[in-house]
Amino acid sequence: MTLNTTMKRFGIIMTIVVVTTLSLIFRYHLRFNTGKSLLKYFKPSANQGGVEETMQSLLLPPRSTTNSMVEDRTLLYLERNNTMLQGCSIINQSIVDHGSMLRYLPNRITVHPAVNILFCGVPKVAVTTWHEILRSLESNLTKIELNSNPNFYSFIRLNTFGTRQKSLLLNQYFKFFFVRNPFERLLSAYLDKFQGLNGGVYGKFASFLLPGMNISLEIAEFCNKNPFQCKRGKFTEKKQFHRHLAKQVTFPIFVRLFTEDNDPQHPIPSALRLDPHWRPITELCQPCKIQYDFVGHYETMAEDVEYVFRESGLSEVVSEIPVSSRTVSHAASHMSSYYNQLSLNVIVKLYRYFRDDFLLFGYSFKSTLQLITDKLIEDDQIQNLLKE
């Protein structure tokens, strides 16, 4: 590659960054000054309390926010956006005009017309909480139901609209999604779907991950341990048996989904490989194809939720912001114990699978390695492993 070509590419990237930054500043300013237009959607019914009262079960006490704090957060979010733009350039994708890809919109984007919002829900990134919040807002705040676990498919999805409507919604609505460290999100999904109660659903895939598994022996072992859930040597509680199977899938076995090629002798269903709970976020939300207004981080959820409410205009209506008081997730506290079960070569293969998420959302592979392994790894060793 010649020096001139390199300089031209650098010039193009910097032009994109500058134009997008100015565009975002203008759009944030516009939204901040037009937020009051959303007031008409939040009228408490006559027999209900005010907004503050109905949100009380969901909220933490409000924090004072100075102008300098807002400016600092704005600069941080602009930096995040620039990181995403540069990442898209590196992986040879660019943010394009909405009209050129309306036929291929990801099905994770839900439409919330009562609050002028498009939300791309990413599993294992507080998506259920966000759906609860959005459902409550759409219900005019007459009732807040925490842990209601609203079904994703009960929301209106953007890809069900016609081309003209999609274009209007993408241009006029506030669009956002949240991300999480790819390795932490992956572990969270594993603990939930294979070691938790959801094993009753995902246990049916255990035989694909463990092709040598003898189902007859597993049934016999299950019935010996759980005699009241079996009758004549056969299980009567399918979900309980599937949970038993799911627990046989260790973390190193689960990780093979992403680090090894599919064995034609024992093919793994695409439904398992492409499950949204561990599918890369760049594939779920297509941030290189859709120009989102905001990308939040799970690690700074409280501050980012406040920012979403302010920039979407909702803070003009809701005086307190729904945020989580939890600062460290269950998965984050167990990262080292699980990832230390993997060899360094497997971890590097796993990084390659989720590389785009690391790259676009500003997560450092080196910093993540320091969190998940007790091995001392030098910079040049990391670079050599990535080149292999």
Side-chain angles (χ1 to χ4, degrees):
M1 185 183 297
T2 66
L3 179 60
N4 287 338
T5 303
T6 303
M7 292 301 294
K8 284 182 180 179
R9 288 192 175 183
F10 178 76
I12 291 171
I13 293 173
M14 290 307 298
T15 301
I16 293 173
V17 169
V18 171
V19 170
T20 306
T21 300
L22 292 174
S23 172
L24 284 169
I25 292 172
F26 173 75
R27 291 168 78 175
Y28 289 160
H29 176 76
L30 182 63
R31 289 187 182 279
F32 183 80
N33 288 298
T34 58
K36 293 182 180 179
S37 64
L38 294 173
L39 281 167
K40 60 183 178 182
Y41 298 114
F42 296 89
K43 294 180 180 178
S45 62
N47 57 359
Q48 293 287 332
V51 170
E52 294 81 5
E53 181 181 341
T54 54
M55 292 288 282
Q56 196 61 43
S57 63
L58 185 64
L59 307 176
L60 291 177
R63 295 195 298 259
S64 60
T65 305
T66 64
N67 289 336
S68 61
M69 290 170 64
V70 173
E71 290 174 2
D72 289 343
R73 300 305 298 180
T74 301
L75 289 174
L76 171 63
Y77 300 141
L78 289 173
E79 287 177 10
R80 286 180 183 175
N81 190 71
N82 289 339
T83 297
M84 192 166 65
L85 284 170
Q86 292 170 16
C88 288
S89 298
I90 291 172
I91 63 175
N92 296 321
Q93 295 186 31
S94 60
I95 294 180
V96 297
D97 181 72
H98 294 144
S100 63
M101 51 80 64
L102 290 176
R103 291 173 55 194
Y104 309 102
L105 287 173
N107 74 342
R108 299 298 307 179
I109 300 179
T110 53
V111 182
H112 306 274
V115 287
N116 293 357
I117 279 175
L118 297 179
F119 173 60
C120 185
V122 178
K124 308 313 300 176
V125 192
V127 65
T128 301
T129 299
W130 269 111
H131 282 160
E132 289 172 344
I133 292 170
L134 292 168
R135 174 72 79 205
S136 299
L137 295 175
E138 288 179 332
S139 302
N140 293 326
L141 299 180
T142 57
K143 188 177 182 181
I144 299 287
E145 291 186 4
L146 288 178
N147 302 316
S148 59
N149 195 22
N151 190 334
F152 161 71
Y153 292 102
S154 67
F155 290 100
I156 305 170
R157 283 176 286 163
L158 183 60
N159 63 2
T160 61
F161 286 81
T163 301
R164 184 172 177 274
Q165 290 87 348
K166 287 177 186 173
S167 181
L168 286 172
L169 291 169
L170 284 166
N171 283 300
Q172 294 180 7
Y173 278 26
F174 184 85
K175 305 171 292 297
F176 75 99
F177 67 100
F178 271 74
V179 300
R180 186 178 186 178
N181 181 291
F183 282 7
E184 183 182 329
R185 176 173 171 253
L186 181 67
L187 178 58
S188 177
Y190 166 75
L191 293 174
D192 181 28
K193 305 306 177 186
F194 286 92
Q195 301 302 303
L197 294 178
N198 280 303
V201 175
Y202 285 80
K204 63 186 177 184
F205 293 115
S207 59
F208 294 103
L209 295 171
L210 298 164
M213 175 181 282
N214 187 317
I215 296 297
S216 297
L217 290 177
E218 291 297 333
I219 293 174
E221 181 182 345
F222 175 77
C223 289
N224 284 335
K225 292 180 178 179
N226 307 276
F228 296 108
Q229 295 176 9
C230 293
K231 186 176 182 181
R232 295 179 182 176
K234 295 182 179 180
F235 59 85
T236 55
E237 294 290 336
K238 182 180 288 188
K239 279 194 172 182
Q240 293 295 336
F241 177 64
H242 281 166
R243 286 192 188 113
H244 166 78
L245 293 181
K247 289 184 181 297
Q248 312 304 311
V249 180
T250 64
F251 189 59
I253 290 172
F254 170 69
V255 164
R256 290 178 192 168
L257 270 175
F258 320 102
T259 60
E260 296 183 5
D261 294 332
N262 205 358
D263 184 354
Q265 299 297 322
H266 304 284
I268 293 176
S270 59
L272 180 60
R273 282 187 173 274
L274 301 178
D275 189 289
H277 291 88
W278 43 77
R279 193 171 181 181
I281 298 174
T282 45
E283 295 180 11
L284 292 177
C285 295
Q286 297 289 324
C288 292
K289 299 297 182 185
I290 298 174
Q291 191 169 353
Y292 286 91
D293 296 292
F294 182 75
V295 178
H297 282 227
Y298 184 86
E299 297 79 8
T300 54
M301 180 68 72
E303 296 85 355
D304 291 1
V305 167
E306 290 184 358
Y307 200 81
V308 167
F309 268 63
R310 183 167 59 252
E311 298 305 327
S312 65
L314 296 179
S315 62
E316 296 289 325
V317 185
V318 181
S319 61
E320 295 178 297
I321 309 299
V323 292
S324 172
S325 59
R326 185 174 62 181
T327 56
V328 179
S329 71
H330 176 69
S333 62
H334 289 80
M335 289 272 280
S336 179
S337 61
Y338 279 91
Y339 279 94
N340 267 312
Q341 300 173 30
L342 309 177
S343 70
L344 192 55
N345 284 332
V346 169
I347 291 174
V348 169
K349 288 181 180 179
L350 200 57
Y351 164 75
R352 289 195 182 112
Y353 186 86
F354 291 100
R355 186 199 70 150
D356 290 355
D357 282 9
F358 275 96
L359 197 60
L360 267 67
F361 307 131
Y363 291 104
S364 164
F365 179 50
K366 179 183 175 181
S367 298
T368 302
L369 272 179
Q370 292 172 344
L371 288 173
I372 66 176
T373 181
D374 53 12
K375 305 175 182 69
L376 181 62
I377 305 170
E378 302 294 339
D379 289 353
D380 57 348
Q381 186 181 0
I382 295 174
Q383 293 304 318
N384 290 333
L385 285 167
L386 294 175
K387 289 177 182 177
E388 292 177 1

